[in-house]
Short mmCIF file of all heavy atoms in Angstrom, two decimals:
data_model
loop_
_atom_site.label_atom_id
_atom_site.label_comp_id
_atom_site.label_asym_id
_atom_site.label_seq_id
_atom_site.Cartn_x
_atom_site.Cartn_y
_atom_site.Cartn_z
N ALA B 55 -97.58 321.44 -216.53
CA ALA B 55 -96.66 320.52 -215.87
C ALA B 55 -97.24 319.03 -216.22
O ALA B 55 -96.47 318.08 -216.46
CB ALA B 55 -96.54 320.83 -214.44
N LEU B 56 -98.53 318.75 -215.95
CA LEU B 56 -99.03 317.37 -216.03
C LEU B 56 -98.95 317.01 -217.53
O LEU B 56 -98.72 315.81 -217.84
CB LEU B 56 -100.47 317.40 -215.54
CG LEU B 56 -100.63 317.68 -214.09
CD1 LEU B 56 -102.21 317.66 -213.65
CD2 LEU B 56 -99.97 316.58 -213.23
N GLN B 57 -99.24 317.92 -218.40
CA GLN B 57 -99.07 317.51 -219.87
C GLN B 57 -97.65 317.24 -220.30
O GLN B 57 -97.34 316.26 -220.99
CB GLN B 57 -99.57 318.70 -220.73
CG GLN B 57 -101.07 318.89 -220.51
CD GLN B 57 -101.48 320.38 -221.16
OE1 GLN B 57 -100.85 321.33 -220.93
NE2 GLN B 57 -102.65 320.43 -221.90
N ILE B 58 -96.65 317.90 -219.66
CA ILE B 58 -95.24 317.48 -219.93
C ILE B 58 -94.97 316.10 -219.42
O ILE B 58 -94.28 315.27 -220.03
CB ILE B 58 -94.30 318.62 -219.25
CG1 ILE B 58 -94.52 319.93 -219.92
CG2 ILE B 58 -92.89 318.08 -219.28
CD1 ILE B 58 -93.72 320.98 -219.32
N LEU B 59 -95.50 315.74 -218.24
CA LEU B 59 -95.42 314.34 -217.62
C LEU B 59 -95.98 313.36 -218.70
O LEU B 59 -95.34 312.28 -218.92
CB LEU B 59 -96.12 314.36 -216.33
CG LEU B 59 -95.45 315.16 -215.13
CD1 LEU B 59 -96.08 314.83 -213.79
CD2 LEU B 59 -93.92 314.99 -215.05
N ALA B 60 -97.10 313.70 -219.19
CA ALA B 60 -97.78 312.80 -220.13
C ALA B 60 -96.87 312.51 -221.48
O ALA B 60 -96.74 311.56 -221.98
CB ALA B 60 -99.17 313.34 -220.48
N ILE B 61 -96.25 313.65 -221.86
CA ILE B 61 -95.37 313.62 -223.04
C ILE B 61 -94.17 312.72 -222.71
O ILE B 61 -93.73 311.92 -223.46
CB ILE B 61 -94.96 315.01 -223.44
CG1 ILE B 61 -96.24 315.85 -224.07
CG2 ILE B 61 -93.81 315.02 -224.42
CD1 ILE B 61 -95.84 317.29 -224.24
N ILE B 62 -93.64 312.91 -221.53
CA ILE B 62 -92.45 311.96 -221.11
C ILE B 62 -92.93 310.50 -221.08
O ILE B 62 -92.13 309.68 -221.59
CB ILE B 62 -92.04 312.45 -219.73
CG1 ILE B 62 -91.35 313.92 -219.69
CG2 ILE B 62 -90.97 311.42 -219.25
CD1 ILE B 62 -91.08 314.29 -218.28
N LEU B 63 -94.02 310.24 -220.61
CA LEU B 63 -94.51 308.85 -220.61
C LEU B 63 -94.69 308.31 -222.07
O LEU B 63 -94.43 307.12 -222.48
CB LEU B 63 -96.01 308.82 -219.89
CG LEU B 63 -95.80 308.86 -218.48
CD1 LEU B 63 -97.26 308.80 -217.79
CD2 LEU B 63 -94.91 307.94 -217.70
N ALA B 64 -95.11 309.25 -223.00
CA ALA B 64 -95.33 308.86 -224.44
C ALA B 64 -94.03 308.53 -225.03
O ALA B 64 -93.76 307.73 -225.84
CB ALA B 64 -96.06 309.95 -225.10
N VAL B 65 -92.98 309.38 -224.69
CA VAL B 65 -91.65 309.14 -225.26
C VAL B 65 -90.95 307.84 -224.77
O VAL B 65 -90.41 307.13 -225.67
CB VAL B 65 -90.64 310.37 -224.91
CG1 VAL B 65 -89.22 310.10 -225.24
CG2 VAL B 65 -91.16 311.59 -225.64
N LEU B 66 -91.25 307.53 -223.49
CA LEU B 66 -90.72 306.25 -223.00
C LEU B 66 -91.42 305.11 -223.69
O LEU B 66 -90.79 304.19 -224.10
CB LEU B 66 -91.02 306.19 -221.50
CG LEU B 66 -90.16 307.12 -220.57
CD1 LEU B 66 -90.59 306.89 -219.22
CD2 LEU B 66 -88.67 306.77 -220.69
N ALA B 67 -92.68 305.21 -224.01
CA ALA B 67 -93.53 304.21 -224.66
C ALA B 67 -92.91 304.08 -226.14
O ALA B 67 -92.72 302.93 -226.70
CB ALA B 67 -94.93 304.46 -224.66
N LEU B 68 -92.59 305.23 -226.73
CA LEU B 68 -92.04 305.19 -228.05
C LEU B 68 -90.73 304.41 -228.09
O LEU B 68 -90.42 303.59 -229.00
CB LEU B 68 -91.89 306.52 -228.69
CG LEU B 68 -91.30 306.82 -230.02
CD1 LEU B 68 -92.15 305.97 -231.09
CD2 LEU B 68 -91.17 308.20 -230.38
#
Side-chain angles (χ1 to χ4, degrees):
L56 295 178
Q57 292 166 315
I58 291 174
L59 296 184
I61 292 172
I62 294 174
L63 293 177
V65 171
L66 290 176
L68 178 62

